[in-house]
Amino acid sequence: MAPQSPFLRPHIAVFAFVSLTFLYFITPSTKSVPTQWDSSLEEPVAEEPPRKCSPADWSAGAWRRKENAMPVTNSEDVYAVSGFSGCASRHEDAFNLAGDQPDHFAWRGNVSAYEWIPPHNCDDVLDDYRESLVVDLVEKGGWLLIGDSVTEQQFFSMSCALYPHVVATPDATKIWDWDRAWPEHLLLNPDSPLVSRIKFPKGFNISQTPLVTFRRNDVLFNLTEIETMFNGGGWRPGPGEKTTLFGDEASWTISVTDYLGDQFFRPLPEANYHTLVLNTGAHWCFGLFSGLPHPFTDVIELFRVVMTNLVYQAARQLDLHQNDGKQREIVVRDYLVGYDDCHTQETMFGGPLKEVPELKSDEFWARIPVMNALLKKVVEDRAHPQVNFVGIDRPGRLRPDAVPSLLPRNVSALASGTVEITGTLHSRQI
C-alpha cells in the first residue's frame, strides 16, 4: 500500500464531534414518502410532524465558551474535555485525538473549551443522545459510512461518543500491518446495560450485525468506473497532453456496486443498515486527476458528471429495494473546506470565528464550496424522497483554531472531540 500524503491523512476529529451528532438529529430518519414509493409495504409509512430545526437552522448557531472549561495537563485529560469516557476504536487514536504531545496540551484544552449553541428553535434537540442513538442503530437500523479519511475520522469519533456501549473491529491493537481498505465496524457491546432494553430485530446477531460500518472510498467510485464516465464524454488527449487520466496520488477506492448495489442492502444477520452516508471532496484534485488538460475547470466538471451518476444510482437502488419491507435513506453531506491561515499563535489560541472567512487561496481545496454547491444541486434535481443533501459545514469552518499544527493548512483536519461529531449525530433527530 502506497504511503498516504499529508493532504490525505485521516482528519483530526475535532470537528467530527459536532457534525456526526447533528446528522442523528436533523436528517429525517423515517421520512414521509409519497404512496407510489412504498405502496406495496405491509404497513404504510407514518406521517411525521414537521421538524422545527433544519440543518440550516442548526448551522446558524454560534460557538460559546463553556463556563467550566477543563484544561488538558496529560494525554488522558483529552477524553474528558472531549466529552468521552474512552474510544472503542484504537486505530490512530493518539493522532485523531491530538492529545499526545505535551507541547500541545494548552492548545488542545483551549479548542475543546467551546460548545456549539444552535438557535432557540432547536432547543428540543436532546443533549444526551448517545444511549438513544445506540438503541436506534439496533432497532431502526445501522449506518454505512462511505468516504475518505474525513469519514474515517467521523467513524472514529462515533466510536468514542458511543463508548462503552460499542466495540470496534478489527482491533487495531492486535494488527501491525493495517490496511485502509479494510471495513471497520462498531458492534453492540454485549456487556452494555442497554442490551436489556433493546428490542432486537429478528435475526440480529450481537457479535456479527454492525451498528456502524466505515468503508474507505476516496471518490465514491473506483478509478476504472470514473475513467469510463470520463471517456464517455468524448475526450481524447491532444498533442503533448497525458494519455492517462490519473496521476500517482495515493487513493483508496471500491466499486460503487460494492456498497450501493450490495452491502447497504444485505439482510440480517450480516447487515441491518438504515442510513448510507456519503462524503467526498479532498481527493478531487490535480494530484489524482493529473491527466486533465484544464485542472480546475475539468476537475469540477468531472465531479459534476460523476456525482450525477452517483445520485442516479442511489435513487435507482432505493427504488429496486422499496418492496423488501425496510425503510432506508441515503444522506449526501457537504465536505469541510480547509483554511487559509491556521498555524499562527494568534489563530491557534484565538478561539472560534464569528463569521465564515472568505477564501483567498487559488489551490484545489478552496474549490470545495463549489463542489458542495454542485452536489446539493444534483441531489435536489433528482428529487428522490429518500436521498437527502445535508449541509452542516459552517460550525467547522468557524474553527481554524482546531487544526493541529502538525498538519498542512489546506487540510480540513480538526481534532477528535472538539467540533465535528456533534453536528452529524444531532442531525438525525431534528
Side-chain angles (χ1 to χ4, degrees):
M1 184 65 67
Q4 193 175 19
S5 73
F7 182 79
L8 307 176
R9 283 287 293 161
H11 293 299
I12 306 297
V14 179
F15 181 68
F17 189 70
V18 172
S19 108
L20 279 178
T21 309
F22 184 63
L23 267 184
Y24 176 51
F25 293 111
I26 293 183
T27 306
S29 58
T30 52
K31 187 174 182 178
S32 176
V33 183
T35 303
Q36 64 266 28
W37 295 104
D38 35 55
S39 57
S40 61
L41 295 180
E42 294 182 1
E43 296 183 4
V45 178
E47 288 283 344
E48 288 191 346
R51 299 179 185 268
K52 294 191 299 181
C53 184
S54 69
D57 291 334
W58 178 275
S59 295
W63 289 101
R64 182 180 68 188
R65 191 169 181 87
K66 301 173 184 176
E67 292 183 2
N68 299 308
M70 298 170 54
V72 172
T73 59
N74 60 71
S75 58
E76 293 301 312
D77 289 343
V78 172
Y79 293 101
V81 300
S82 303
F84 303 147
S85 59
C87 297
S89 175
R90 298 298 304 278
H91 181 221
E92 298 182 325
D93 49 350
F95 178 82
N96 281 311
L97 291 165
D100 61 335
Q101 299 294 323
D103 291 347
H104 296 167
F105 286 165
W107 163 81
R108 187 59 175 80
N110 189 65
V111 296
S112 289
Y114 297 86
E115 57 185 345
W116 182 252
I117 306 298
H120 290 303
N121 59 318
C122 296
D123 285 348
D124 60 339
V125 174
L126 295 176
D127 289 328
D128 188 4
Y129 58 88
R130 303 173 198 230
E131 292 188 0
S132 64
L133 174 55
V134 172
V135 173
D136 281 352
L137 289 170
V138 177
E139 295 182 352
K140 296 182 180 179
W143 294 9
L144 176 58
L145 311 179
I146 304 292
D148 61 15
S149 56
V150 170
T151 304
E152 183 177 21
Q153 192 174 44
Q154 293 162 2
F155 172 87
F156 174 85
S157 295
M158 286 191 75
S159 87
C160 304
L162 304 183
Y163 180 84
H165 302 294
V166 297
V167 294
T169 62
D171 186 348
T173 64
K174 300 178 180 179
I175 300 173
W176 296 100
D177 54 344
W178 188 276
D179 188 339
R180 297 190 186 280
W182 290 339
E184 299 178 55
H185 305 285
L186 297 181
L187 304 175
L188 180 63
N189 185 345
D191 297 325
S192 168
L194 299 179
V195 170
S196 62
R197 64 183 252 204
I198 291 175
K199 298 177 181 178
F200 289 93
K202 184 178 179 179
F204 189 96
N205 187 322
I206 289 181
S207 63
Q208 180 183 4
T209 310
L211 277 59
V212 183
T213 296
F214 164 71
R215 293 291 306 274
R216 178 76 183 255
N217 194 3
D218 295 337
V219 288
L220 304 183
F221 289 82
N222 67 30
L223 299 188
T224 299
E225 291 165 336
I226 289 182
E227 191 166 33
T228 298
M229 284 182 267
F230 177 71
N231 288 331
W235 174 82
R236 295 293 181 273
E241 295 178 345
K242 294 182 102 176
T243 57
T244 59
L245 175 60
F246 305 107
D248 56 4
E249 186 78 53
S251 64
W252 284 260
T253 64
I254 58 176
S255 171
V256 66
T257 60
D258 287 349
Y259 66 89
L260 193 51
D262 177 25
Q263 186 173 6
F264 184 48
F265 298 99
R266 289 177 188 172
L268 286 162
E270 188 175 358
N272 185 38
Y273 300 117
H274 174 279
T275 303
L276 171 61
V277 181
L278 303 173
N279 192 222
T280 187
H283 290 259
W284 291 87
C285 62
F286 198 53
L288 181 59
F289 297 97
S290 62
L292 292 171
H294 307 96
F296 295 111
T297 56
D298 288 353
V299 166
I300 295 297
E301 175 59 18
L302 180 59
F303 179 84
R304 184 192 65 80
V305 170
V306 173
M307 293 303 108
T308 300
N309 190 322
L310 174 72
V311 173
Y312 167 80
Q313 294 201 40
R316 181 174 180 271
Q317 288 297 329
L318 286 168
D319 292 347
L320 290 174
H321 292 85
Q322 64 176 305
N323 296 327
D324 64 5
K326 183 174 181 60
Q327 288 292 308
R328 297 184 180 89
E329 65 175 342
I330 295 176
V331 174
V332 184
R333 57 158 299 178
D334 56 1
Y335 199 91
L336 181 61
V337 71
Y339 308 92
D340 280 314
D341 185 11
C342 55
H343 288 163
T344 65
Q345 288 291 304
E346 180 181 3
T347 299
M348 293 184 68
F349 289 90
L353 303 177
K354 299 296 184 182
E355 301 293 337
V356 174
E358 180 182 353
L359 295 176
K360 301 176 182 178
S361 173
D362 58 359
E363 298 182 40
F364 273 103
W365 57 268
R367 268 60 177 183
I368 286 177
V370 176
M371 298 195 308
N372 286 337
L374 277 175
L375 191 50
K376 181 175 185 289
K377 183 177 187 304
V378 167
V379 172
E380 291 176 346
D381 287 349
R382 174 56 56 178
H384 192 286
Q386 297 305 103
V387 181
N388 300 286
F389 177 85
V390 175
I392 50 176
D393 67 338
R394 183 174 175 270
R397 294 191 66 183
L398 296 175
R399 296 304 304 273
D401 61 315
V403 179
S405 60
L406 58 88
L407 291 173
R409 64 185 174 87
N410 60 348
V411 179
S412 53
L414 306 171
S416 263
T418 61
V419 187
E420 167 104 13
I421 199 173
T422 305
T424 305
L425 297 181
H426 273 86
S427 68
R428 306 300 306 140
Q429 176 184 328
I430 296 173

